[in-house]
């Protein structure tokens, strides 16, 4: 006996026939069952023999050949005991095939949806099937990818996904090749196999209609796929047309260092604010700093009110915010936001993006019909409006000049109420013409007087 043929049912009309090797363990069997139903193993799972849930679960390290004795033997797999999915299983019989490969022999019906936000047809083009570890190792060996080479590639790829959240496979290869000189064929073979093992990240086909060229796929972090899928279009849109920031020196160290996402000059004020103003201990203050930093980097970016609500909840045992402390926090948060590396910006901070692509400053600003109408009707005081324009800081002085020109066209020349009044010259005052004479003996002398 070299293996077993097993039937797995997820309800009426949905079943899979899988084959596994006799020397596999209960732990490997559980993973194959979940894989056959397109489930990602994120929670604990248990196998109960003889179809009984009340008894103890089978030891995960037990070898199948010592546990399965006869055809027709039934058992259950319970995935996530706290919120269980139950898969009914039975032994269809042993197999003596010397070349047995772990896999699906037959399938009927669509598998249940593990995550509602990923309700899709799990075809090989868009969302690949999950292979058990034993099958992955065989494929790597067949492709001639050595363990040390796999380990080095995987470390780089995981680090890049932590830093960028979403990155094209082609760009990931470009970065790795520059630092390690890895062969492109080896890299492609590795990705083609690795896409069937979404352990710490996913290799997804997001734009390739044929789905055949893995170099056109994307590396996507698990947190995006399972918790923040709605942010994926925003990240992809933000990355479009931008250069990719690659840390100087050894990028691997920087990719793996969460502190590299923002300079300590901008995280430290937030930490001190939490410690001194909100009276949080070191553990809570550090947690909130990392939470906000990761929120900004991932592109989820809760609004200020959302951040405040989270902090009020998390710090509920200590005094809350005051109006003064809220203003102080907003100032600190904005500085941190502008200097945090973002997935949306291909690893750049907003400040760096502004320097690379400075916004175009206009030379004029057209007053709309609404404000024009209110100026004509007197609903908006022209004098007050002029004072507002004269005292407002504009990025370009031409804008101020243009608005004042439009104001004169609408209501005629308007003098500002704050303009100094012309001082009346007294008869004995020095004449303003600069002659040195008294005003009454110069320009203030009555006409015709000698």
């Amino acid at each position: 006996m070299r293996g077993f043929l097993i039937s797995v049912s997820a309800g009426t009309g949905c079943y899979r026939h899988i084959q596994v090797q006799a020397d596999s363990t209960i732990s490997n069997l559980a993973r194959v069952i979940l894989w056959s139903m397109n489930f990602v193993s994120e929670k604990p799972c248990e196998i109960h023999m003889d179809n009984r849930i009340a008894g103890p679960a089978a030891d995960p390290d037990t070898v199948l050949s010592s546990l399965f004795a006869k055809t027709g033997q039934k058992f259950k797999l319970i995935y996530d005991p706290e919120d269980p999915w139950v898969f009914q299983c039975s032994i269809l019989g042993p197999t003596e095939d010397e070349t047995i490969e772990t896999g699906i022999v037959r399938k009927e019906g669509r598998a249940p949806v593990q995550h509602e936000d990923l309700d899709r047809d799990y075809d090989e083009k868009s969302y690949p099937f999950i292979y058990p570890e034993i099958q992955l190792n065989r494929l790597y060996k067949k492709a001639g990818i050595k363990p040390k080479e796999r380990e080095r590639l995987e470390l780089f790829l995981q680090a890049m996904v932590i830093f960028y959240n979403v990155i094209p496979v082609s760009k990931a290869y470009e970065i790795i090749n520059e630092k390690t000189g890895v062969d492109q064929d080896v890299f492609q073979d590795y990705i083609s196999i690795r896409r069937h093992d979404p352990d710490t990240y996913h290799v997804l086909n997001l734009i390739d209609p044929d789905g055949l060229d893995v170099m056109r796929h994307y590396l996507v972090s698990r947190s995006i796929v399972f918790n923040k899928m709605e942010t994926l279009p925003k990240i992809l849109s933000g990355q479009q047309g931008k250069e990719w920031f690659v840390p100087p020196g050894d990028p691997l160290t920087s990719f793996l260092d969460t502190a590299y996402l923002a300079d300590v000059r901008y995280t430290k004020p937030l930490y001190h604010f939490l410690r001194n103003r909100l009276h949080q201990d070191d553990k809570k203050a550090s947690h909130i700093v990392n939470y906000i930093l990761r929120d900004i980097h991932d592109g989820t970016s809760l609004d200020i009110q959302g951040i405040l609500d989270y902090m009020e909840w998390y710090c509920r045992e200590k005094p809350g915010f005051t109006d003064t402390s809220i203003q102080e926090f907003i100032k600190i948060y904005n500085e941190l936001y502008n200097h945090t590396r973002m997935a949306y910006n291909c690893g750049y901070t907003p400040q760096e993006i502004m320097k690379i692509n400075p916004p175009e400053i206009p030379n004029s600003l057209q007053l709309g019909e609404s404000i024009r109408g209110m100026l004509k009707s007197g609903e908006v005081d022209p004098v007050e409006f002029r004072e507002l324009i004269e005292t407002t800081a504009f990025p370009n002085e031409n804008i101020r000049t243009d608005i004042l020109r439009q104001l004169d066209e609408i209501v005629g020349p308007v003098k500002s109420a704050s303009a100094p009044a012309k001082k009346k010259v007294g008869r004995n005052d020095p004449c303003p013409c600069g002659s040195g004479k008294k005003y009454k003996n110069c320009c203030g002398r009555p006409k015709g007087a000698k």
Side-chain angles (χ1 to χ4, degrees):
M1 179 179 61
R2 297 184 181 279
F4 296 97
L5 191 63
I6 300 173
S7 174
V8 180
S9 172
T12 306
C14 175
Y15 67 87
R16 305 286 185 266
H17 290 174
I18 62 173
Q19 59 183 11
V20 293
Q21 293 181 322
D23 58 359
S24 292
T25 63
I26 284 291
S27 176
N28 285 337
L29 173 62
R31 185 170 181 179
V32 174
I33 292 172
L34 293 174
W35 159 68
S36 73
M37 291 295 176
N38 301 314
F39 268 51
V40 177
S41 183
E42 303 172 302
K43 305 285 186 179
C45 58
E46 300 172 348
I47 284 183
H48 293 262
M49 300 308 300
D50 300 322
N51 228 17
R52 297 176 182 176
I53 300 179
D59 185 344
D61 295 324
T62 302
V63 176
L64 301 186
S65 57
S66 66
L67 197 62
F68 296 151
K70 59 184 179 180
T71 298
Q73 188 173 358
K74 298 183 183 298
F75 62 94
K76 291 180 187 286
L77 181 140
I78 311 297
Y79 173 72
D80 187 10
E82 293 185 2
D83 185 16
W85 291 83
V86 180
F87 298 95
Q88 304 280 356
C89 308
S90 64
I91 306 298
L92 297 178
T95 176
E96 298 295 339
D97 187 354
E98 293 184 5
T99 59
I100 181 174
E101 289 281 348
T102 299
I104 300 174
V105 177
R106 182 179 179 183
K107 65 178 181 178
E108 289 291 338
R110 188 180 178 190
V113 179
Q114 182 182 11
H115 295 279
E116 291 298 329
D117 58 345
L118 287 178
D119 186 1
R120 66 180 82 181
D121 293 324
Y122 283 82
D123 60 284
E124 279 289 289
K125 290 182 181 180
S126 60
Y127 200 84
F129 287 121
I130 302 165
Y131 290 175
E133 187 175 0
I134 190 169
Q135 186 171 357
L136 290 168
N137 289 334
R138 285 175 182 167
L139 290 171
Y140 287 131
K141 187 176 181 180
K142 187 176 180 180
I145 305 174
K146 297 177 181 178
K148 284 189 177 180
E149 202 166 24
R150 282 168 48 191
E151 185 179 343
R152 179 67 173 167
L153 280 173
E154 185 60 20
L155 188 59
F156 250 106
L157 291 170
Q158 286 189 23
M160 277 193 281
V161 170
I162 290 171
F163 190 75
Y164 296 116
N165 266 1
V166 180
I167 180 172
V169 170
S170 57
K171 175 54 69 173
Y173 168 72
E174 186 181 312
I175 295 172
I176 292 177
N177 180 53
E178 185 180 338
K179 299 298 178 182
T180 67
V182 63
D183 181 76
Q184 184 169 346
D185 290 338
V186 172
F187 181 82
Q188 274 188 267
D189 288 342
Y190 180 77
I191 292 293
S192 296
I193 301 169
R194 180 61 176 78
R195 64 194 289 264
H196 296 284
D197 179 25
D199 184 25
T200 52
Y201 60 88
H202 292 252
V203 182
L204 299 183
N205 169 30
L206 302 177
I207 61 170
D208 183 11
D210 296 324
L212 301 176
D213 185 2
V214 292
M215 295 300 280
R216 298 184 64 191
H217 291 193
Y218 282 75
L219 306 178
V220 184
S221 72
R222 281 174 66 92
S223 64
I224 293 291
V225 173
F226 289 112
N227 300 314
K228 307 166 186 173
M229 199 63 174
E230 70 281 356
T231 67
L232 184 56
K234 175 187 172 184
I235 293 174
L236 292 175
S237 174
Q239 290 179 346
Q240 200 167 15
K242 290 177 182 171
E243 297 177 15
W244 288 80
F245 173 81
V246 181
D250 179 13
L252 187 57
T253 305
S254 300
F255 283 148
L256 292 171
D257 186 4
T258 307
Y260 192 75
L261 296 180
D263 193 286
V264 69
R265 289 174 297 171
Y266 306 104
T267 55
K268 200 171 183 179
L270 178 58
Y271 174 82
H272 286 309
F273 172 84
L274 294 164
R275 293 280 281 143
N276 302 328
R277 300 284 275 134
L278 295 190
H279 313 292
Q280 300 303 306
D281 60 30
D282 175 74
K283 184 178 179 181
K284 283 194 173 184
S286 298
H287 169 84
I288 293 174
V289 170
N290 287 328
Y291 175 87
I292 292 176
L293 192 60
R294 183 56 65 179
D295 177 72
I296 296 172
H297 167 265
D298 287 353
T300 49
S301 293
L302 294 170
D303 56 23
I304 288 291
Q305 188 56 53
I307 292 287
L308 292 173
D309 289 344
Y310 172 79
M311 291 171 64
E312 284 278 16
W313 171 82
Y314 192 76
C315 308
R316 56 190 177 276
E317 297 175 1
K318 297 287 184 178
F321 284 100
T322 64
D323 289 343
T324 304
S325 61
I326 287 176
Q327 292 304 315
E328 187 179 344
F329 169 75
I330 290 173
K331 183 178 179 181
I332 294 171
Y333 176 83
N334 286 338
E335 278 294 295
L336 178 60
Y337 183 93
N338 288 327
H339 294 87
T340 297
R341 304 198 173 280
M342 299 181 182
Y344 177 87
N345 286 332
C346 299
Y348 283 102
T349 70
Q351 282 286 347
E352 289 169 340
I353 289 291
M354 288 282 285
K355 290 178 181 178
I356 296 170
N357 301 308
E360 187 177 337
I361 299 174
N363 285 317
S364 62
L365 183 64
Q366 188 67 27
L367 295 178
E369 292 300 321
S370 176
I371 187 65
R372 285 173 173 270
M374 289 190 286
L375 284 166
K376 286 179 179 178
S377 67
E379 189 175 347
V380 171
D381 188 335
V383 174
E384 292 181 357
F385 186 78
R386 173 176 281 275
E387 287 184 353
L388 175 65
I389 299 304
E390 288 176 344
T391 56
T392 298
F394 289 99
N396 191 323
E397 193 61 31
N398 292 335
I399 297 176
R400 188 195 321 278
T401 304
D402 186 57
I403 295 176
L404 293 176
R405 177 189 59 76
Q406 294 177 64
L407 178 61
D408 290 343
E409 289 177 357
I410 296 167
V411 296
V414 177
K415 290 184 178 181
S416 174
S418 60
K422 190 174 181 180
K423 185 180 179 181
K424 186 177 180 181
V425 183
R427 294 183 73 250
N428 292 316
D429 291 339
C431 186
C433 74
S435 65
K437 298 179 182 180
K438 289 185 179 181
Y439 178 65
K440 65 182 180 181
N441 294 326
C442 190
C443 295
R445 187 171 50 179
K447 287 186 181 181
K450 293 183 181 180

